[in-house]
């Protein structure tokens, strides 16, 4: 006996394939949405984590900026204290400078040369005096330039011819000079010279 299927089997198979395709499409859409959702939440988590790190770094940077300002203030205070200490040490070391000045002038003043005026302003000393001749003034300049560690850079400002009356009948021609010289600080004088000079000043 031969069986003949008269049902529309092609339409049924086509309908089953369509349903299968629709189910797969829905499943794919759901999977895609799930993946998109996971990616979104993962990205948001990463962004939140990075924002938290940025906030932490910002707070740390602010803290470091405050510490840098404090260090800068401390350094400026240390510098100011160092300058004050140096000023006090300079004053302490320079208290004997007038003694050294007079002592060196006595040593370096040639015979026939006399000082009439002596003025000190900071480290600059102005000397006025008379000498028997221009050669005596030149010798004084050489002595101040080469033979003393306490005086340096002698500069002849003026030298003029003049006369000195020793009596009513006896007048001598002299050279009146005006010069400047720099008085060295104790910190600028070689250490081997300063103790010897101090001992010479103290010795009666």
């Amino acid at each position: 006996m031969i069986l003949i299927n008269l049902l529309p089997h092609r339409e049924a198979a086509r309908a089953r394939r369509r349903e299968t395709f629709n189910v797969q499409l829905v499943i794919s859409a759901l999977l895609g949405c799930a993946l998109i959702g996971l990616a979104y939440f993962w990205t948001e988590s990463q962004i939140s984590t990075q924002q938290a790190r940025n906030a932490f770094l910002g707070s740390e940077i602010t803290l470091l900026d405050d510490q840098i300002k404090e260090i800068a203030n401390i350094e400026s205070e240390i510098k100011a204290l160092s300058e004050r200490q140096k000023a006090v040490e300079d004053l302490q070391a320079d208290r004997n400078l007038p003694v050294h000045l007079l002592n060196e002038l006595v040593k370096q003043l040639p015979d026939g040369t006399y000082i009439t005026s002596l003025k000190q302003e900071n480290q600059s000393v102005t000397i006025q005096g008379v000498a028997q001749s221009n050669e005596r003034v030149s010798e004084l300049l050489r002595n101040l330039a080469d033979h003393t560690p306490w005086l340096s850079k002698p500069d002849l400002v003026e030298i003029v011819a003049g006369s000195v009356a020793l009596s009513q009948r006896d007048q001598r021609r002299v050279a009146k000079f005006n010069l400047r010289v720099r008085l060295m600080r104790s910190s600028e004088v070689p250490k081997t010279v300063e103790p010897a000079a101090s001992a010479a000043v103290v010795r009666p």
Side-chain angles (χ1 to χ4, degrees):
M1 177 178 176
I2 301 174
L3 295 177
I4 299 175
N5 187 5
L6 298 177
L7 294 175
H9 61 90
R10 291 190 177 88
E11 287 77 4
R14 201 176 290 120
R16 286 195 299 271
R17 287 197 298 271
R18 189 181 298 114
E19 289 176 0
T20 303
F21 175 76
N22 290 334
V23 170
Q24 292 177 348
L25 184 63
V26 170
I27 292 173
S28 298
L30 292 176
L31 287 176
C33 291
L35 290 175
I36 292 172
L38 289 175
Y40 173 79
F41 286 116
W42 182 81
T43 304
E44 287 295 320
S45 174
Q46 293 296 317
I47 292 173
S48 300
T49 302
Q50 189 62 43
Q51 288 177 345
R53 291 176 181 173
N54 292 342
F56 175 75
L57 290 175
S59 63
E60 291 296 319
I61 289 172
T62 303
L63 181 61
L64 288 176
D65 288 339
D66 294 338
Q67 292 177 352
I68 289 172
K69 290 179 181 178
E70 292 179 1
I71 292 173
N73 292 333
I74 293 173
E75 287 179 349
S76 62
E77 291 177 0
I78 291 174
K79 183 178 179 181
L81 290 175
S82 298
E83 291 177 353
R84 292 178 186 174
Q85 181 180 0
K86 186 177 184 303
V88 172
E89 290 175 352
D90 288 341
L91 289 175
Q92 184 73 14
D94 295 345
R95 62 182 178 177
N96 291 328
L97 285 184
V99 178
H100 292 303
L101 172 62
L102 296 176
N103 188 41
E104 292 300 318
L105 287 178
V106 170
K107 290 180 181 179
Q108 308 305 330
L109 202 64
D111 293 336
T113 306
Y114 306 93
I115 294 177
T116 59
S117 174
L118 187 65
K119 181 181 178 181
Q120 179 182 355
E121 184 175 354
N122 295 327
Q123 300 305 114
S124 177
V125 179
T126 302
I127 302 173
Q128 295 179 351
V130 295
Q132 292 177 353
S133 63
N134 292 343
E135 288 75 14
R136 302 285 185 176
V137 179
S138 298
E139 184 180 355
L140 174 60
L141 290 173
R142 285 194 300 270
N143 291 344
L144 295 178
D146 301 331
H147 298 156
T148 170
W150 292 96
L151 301 172
S152 67
K153 299 180 181 178
D155 180 27
L156 182 62
V157 178
E158 181 183 33
I159 182 169
V160 296
S163 60
V164 175
L166 299 180
S167 65
Q168 293 181 351
R169 296 181 179 180
D170 187 9
Q171 291 191 353
R172 300 283 180 89
R173 292 182 61 81
V174 295
K176 296 182 178 180
F177 62 88
N178 181 2
L179 63 87
R180 281 194 296 266
V181 67
R182 184 176 184 275
L183 179 61
M184 305 291 284
R185 290 185 177 275
S186 299
S187 58
E188 299 171 331
V189 176
K191 298 302 180 181
T192 56
V193 176
E194 187 176 354
S198 301
V201 170
V202 175
R203 187 182 300 116

